[in-house]
Amino acid sequence: MAQHYRVGRLEQEIEREVNDILLKRVRDPRIAGVTITGVTVTGDLQQATIYYSILSDKASDGEKTAAGLTKATGLIRSELGSRLSIYKTPELTFERDNSVQYGSRIDELINNLKRQD
């Protein structure tokens, strides 16, 4: 039970800290519009997958953002290491969260329908 609680708490902490690090520490214009939407940490706390969304639908922007995050991963991980009170900082993987994009696309379609009425 304690382990499960720790994972959940760690996920929330990582999400909060990574958002803060992206805002204040990473000076890469490619990741200016990134929002962290969620984090999953493995039960052994060794791996963290960080889900993010960007406002643009353009594939080229998606690629630039992914490249920017990959480049910043080392910095983000070492910043996390100094902020989190755990023995070993998990390995970080960034994955684009397409559900957010999907949701905004649906909003857009609904608004278009309303305009046609």
Side-chain angles (χ1 to χ4, degrees):
M1 179 61 208
Q3 188 67 9
H4 179 69
Y5 167 71
R6 265 188 72 201
V7 169
R9 212 180 66 198
L10 184 61
E11 288 170 346
Q12 288 174 334
E13 254 182 86
I14 289 175
E15 183 173 341
R16 195 176 55 235
E17 295 299 351
V18 171
N19 263 319
D20 192 61
I21 293 165
L22 288 177
L23 224 69
K24 296 178 182 159
R25 302 281 299 130
V26 182
R27 297 265 174 262
D28 190 330
R30 291 176 295 185
I31 56 178
V34 168
T35 306
I36 304 303
T37 58
V39 176
T40 54
V41 175
T42 53
D44 60 4
L45 310 180
Q46 298 296 301
Q47 303 279 333
T49 304
I50 299 170
Y51 297 93
Y52 67 92
S53 70
I54 59 173
L55 292 170
S56 169
D57 285 345
K58 288 205 306 237
S60 59
D61 289 342
E63 285 160 22
K64 278 186 206 138
T65 303
L69 285 169
T70 300
K71 187 169 178 292
T73 299
L75 168 74
I76 294 167
R77 189 166 179 251
S78 64
E79 274 284 319
L80 266 182
S82 62
R83 294 174 180 214
L84 297 176
S85 52
I86 53 171
Y87 170 66
K88 186 177 180 293
T89 309
E91 293 292 332
L92 305 181
T93 310
F94 284 92
E95 258 184 52
R96 185 154 174 198
D97 180 351
N98 291 315
S99 64
V100 174
Q101 188 185 2
Y102 179 72
S104 63
R105 177 80 184 117
I106 288 177
D107 290 344
E108 191 185 311
L109 291 170
I110 290 170
N111 288 333
N112 288 344
L113 285 174
K114 283 182 184 161
R115 265 188 239 119
Q116 288 167 3
D117 285 348

